[in-house]
């Protein structure tokens, strides 16, 4: 993108007045209305009455805000021609107002650019008439269509040096590669790109292996992509204004381009290359030939003026060959261009697009496809055609995407005529769909590829460990459960396993009571195996419920893997009753224990004179 240019560009007061008058006249006639830009935050000129504008800060322009032609279309609307109502169909004709004629190759480039951009950015809604309006204002349709058979101008179209003298100040960015100037940049080509912008947006639209700003096919496609930048929708007035102002930041420029845009939308026709009408009035109020030290934005050379003195009034012209006379110099003139057939692009040579490989593609969910669609562009004799743009589109309900998350991509055929799409990756949705390949800019039959995505599978589920799973009512299972999934003997990661609580292994009907999954608060859940093919239910993931019974956890996987795991729900353990023979001690009072000093010595015997007499057996029984 061009650097931000924080200065006004000089605009001629005369040209601004002419534009203002012409806009007023157009508004009062049947000619298209010159619409003012929206006053939003997108930037653009806000000047009133002078034709000058203040560039929005932080934005560059494709042209470096170099000068442009300010002539407006005639007041009379061009008549629509039968068979060629601006569509380019039918024979090459010259009819209607001359200003409505667009050179054949230039018109072809605009329409091809529209088709190409719409295939890659359909939401932009780029109309070719907008490219024609910009091409008219920037270079007079490539200097009246002076281009060769490949669409390249006979001479480079260069704007003045952007040296800060009346224009923006942009130092050289291309070492003079495009504009021949190693000090300052100049706008280049029929769409007037400055080299720094061309470095980002340049295209090879005619398939000659070069990105040439002086080629109308390359430049028109680059301009279309530039106008569609930042997800603009050119069917919306605000986005249309932003796009034009991003090309050259001036209200005068916006109005001029919109006037030609509407004029071409109402009708146009083809004229032979080299016969287009050349504009004369530029925004810097210079005419072709420019001022000293500048280069006009035109490839048409200026014929030198005669140097011999003019004859005196009333005198007779001397006869040729008379001594003492000087023969008037010959003024060189441009040769009259000879109409040539329309340019043939690589796409025009294609007679059929065929499937070259991977007609059927299959993979499992959340995985890369091992192959990609490959299509072959063939001419009428069956030979391959190189440098053809092929559009691949995913059609159907699927979350499979090309690299970068795209559903539509464009690839170019190789020297063998083969175009391959970028890598494909399946999402989480299983199913079938189609990938359709078509030639950009043509209505040939499509090459179609059948694609299917299946769920990851496991034909075997095996429990790791054999410890029983049991829990009392009202509690959670305290044991961990681990299961390994395999498919054809290999570990099966990423498999979606369905888990369900059933009441019987032999008659596995869903249980209506008993254990539930903690997280789901349900008797059904789904789990995905880890990268090592295992599935783990941790301690506490299963709740026992409140009914004593034996249940089963049924696990099933796509591919046939099935496993039953027994879940036993038991009654809670009974609480033990207290011992009735044991008297509880008073709280906080330790139990009494005999003192060692009170214990009788084993060698001593009670004295007959002891205070407490020894009871006899008879006394004990009677007391009892």
């Amino acid at each position: 993108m061009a650097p931000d240019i924080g200065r006004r560009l000089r605009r001629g007061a005369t040209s601004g007045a002419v534009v203002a008058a012409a806009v007023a006249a157009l508004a009062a006639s049947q000619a298209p209305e010159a619409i003012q830009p929206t006053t939003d935050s997108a930037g653009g000129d806000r000047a009133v009455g002078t034709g000058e504008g203040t560039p929005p800060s932080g934005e560059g322009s494709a042209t470096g805000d170099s000068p442009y032609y300010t002539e407006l279309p005639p007041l009379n609307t061009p008549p629509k021609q039968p068979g060629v109502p601006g569509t380019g169909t039918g024979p090459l004709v010259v009819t209607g107002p001359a200003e409505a004629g667009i050179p054949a190759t230039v018109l072809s480039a605009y329409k091809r650019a529209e088709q190409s951009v719409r295939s890659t950015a359909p939401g932009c809604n780029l109309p070719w008439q907008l490219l024609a309006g910009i091409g008219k204002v920037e270079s007079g349709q490539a200097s009246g269509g002076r281009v060769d058979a490949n669409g390249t101008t006979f001479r480079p179209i260069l704007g003045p040096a952007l040296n800060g003298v009346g224009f923006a100040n942009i130092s050289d960015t291309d070492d003079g590669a495009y504009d021949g100037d190693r000090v300052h940049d100049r706008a280049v080509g029929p769409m007037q790109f400055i080299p720094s912008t061309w470095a980002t947006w340049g295209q090879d639209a005619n398939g000659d292996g070069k990105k040439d700003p002086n080629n109308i096919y390359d430049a028109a496609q680059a301009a279309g992509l530039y106008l569609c930048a930042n997800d603009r929708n050119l069917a919306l007035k605000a986005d249309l204004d932003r796009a034009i102002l991003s090309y050259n930041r001036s209200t005068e420029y916006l109005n001029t381009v919109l006037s030609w845009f509407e004029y071409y939308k109402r009708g146009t026709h083809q004229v032979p290359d080299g016969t287009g009408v050349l504009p004369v009035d530029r925004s810097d109020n210079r005419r072709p030939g420019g001022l000293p030290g500048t280069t006009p934005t035109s490839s048409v050379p200026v014929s030198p003026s005669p140097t011999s003195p003019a004859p005196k009034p009333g005198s007779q012209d001397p006869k040729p060959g008379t001594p003492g006379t000087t023969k008037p110099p010959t003024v060189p003139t441009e040769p009259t261009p000879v109409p040539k057939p329309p340019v043939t692009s690589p796409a025009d040579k294609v007679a059929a697009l065929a499937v070259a490989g991977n007609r059927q593609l299959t993979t499992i969910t959340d995985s890369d496809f091992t192959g990609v669609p490959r299509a072959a562009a063939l001419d009428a004799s069956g030979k391959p055609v190189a440098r053809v743009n092929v559009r691949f589109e995913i059609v159907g309900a699927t979350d499979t995407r090309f690299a970068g998350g795209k559903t539509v991509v464009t690839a170019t055929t190789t020297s063998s005529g083969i175009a391959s799409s970028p890598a494909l990756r399946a999402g989480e949705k299983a199913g079938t769909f189609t990938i359709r390949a078509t030639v950009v800019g043509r209505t040939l039959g499509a090459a179609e590829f059948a694609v299917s995505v299946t769920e990851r599978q496991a034909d075997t589920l095996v429990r790791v460990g054999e410890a029983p799973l049991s829990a009392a009512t009202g509690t959670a299972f305290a044991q961990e459960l681990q299961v390994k999934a395999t498919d054809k003997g290999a570990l099966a990661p990423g498999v979606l396993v369905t888990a369900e609580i059933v009441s019987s292994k032999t008659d596995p009907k869903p249980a209506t009571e008993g254990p539930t999954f903690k997280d789901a608060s349900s008797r059904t859940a789904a789990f995905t195996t880890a990268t090592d093919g295992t599935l783990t239910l941790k301690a506490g993931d299963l709740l026992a419920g409140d009914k004593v019974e034996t249940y089963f956890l049924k696990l099933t996987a796509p591919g046939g893997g099935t496993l039953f795991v027994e879940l036993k729900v038991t009654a809670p353990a009974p609480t033990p009753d207290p011992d009735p023979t044991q008297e509880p001690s008073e709280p906080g009072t330790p139990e009494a224990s005999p003192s060692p000093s009170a214990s009788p010595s084993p060698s001593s015997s009670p004295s007959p004179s002891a205070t407490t007499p020894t009871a006899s057996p008879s006394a004990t029984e009677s007391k009892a």
Side-chain angles (χ1 to χ4, degrees), residues 19 31 44 73 87 92 161 203 217 235 266 313 333 361 379 403 460 533 593:
V19 171
T87 62
L92 186 67
Q203 301 290 308
Y217 287 99
R266 297 190 183 189
T333 58
L361 294 162
D379 64 13
T460 305
S593 58

Side-chain angles (χ1 to χ4, degrees), residues 513-604:
E513 53 189 354
T516 60
F517 294 98
K518 178 181 178 181
D519 291 341
S521 299
S522 171
R523 295 182 174 86
T524 303
F527 303 91
T528 301
T529 58
T531 54
D532 60 355
T534 60
L535 179 155
T536 302
L537 270 69
K538 298 180 181 179
D541 284 352
L542 278 171
L543 304 180
D546 55 5
K547 184 176 182 180
V548 176
E549 190 69 72
T550 297
Y551 300 91
F552 291 90
L553 173 64
K554 180 184 177 183
L555 302 172
T556 57
T562 304
L563 176 67
F564 288 90
V565 180
E566 184 178 281
L567 303 175
K568 183 172 290 187
V569 181
T570 61
T575 304
D577 294 330
D579 186 355
T581 62
Q582 182 177 0
E583 295 182 2
S585 59
E586 293 184 8
T589 304
E591 293 184 1
S593 58
S595 172
S597 60
S599 301
S601 173
S603 59
S604 63

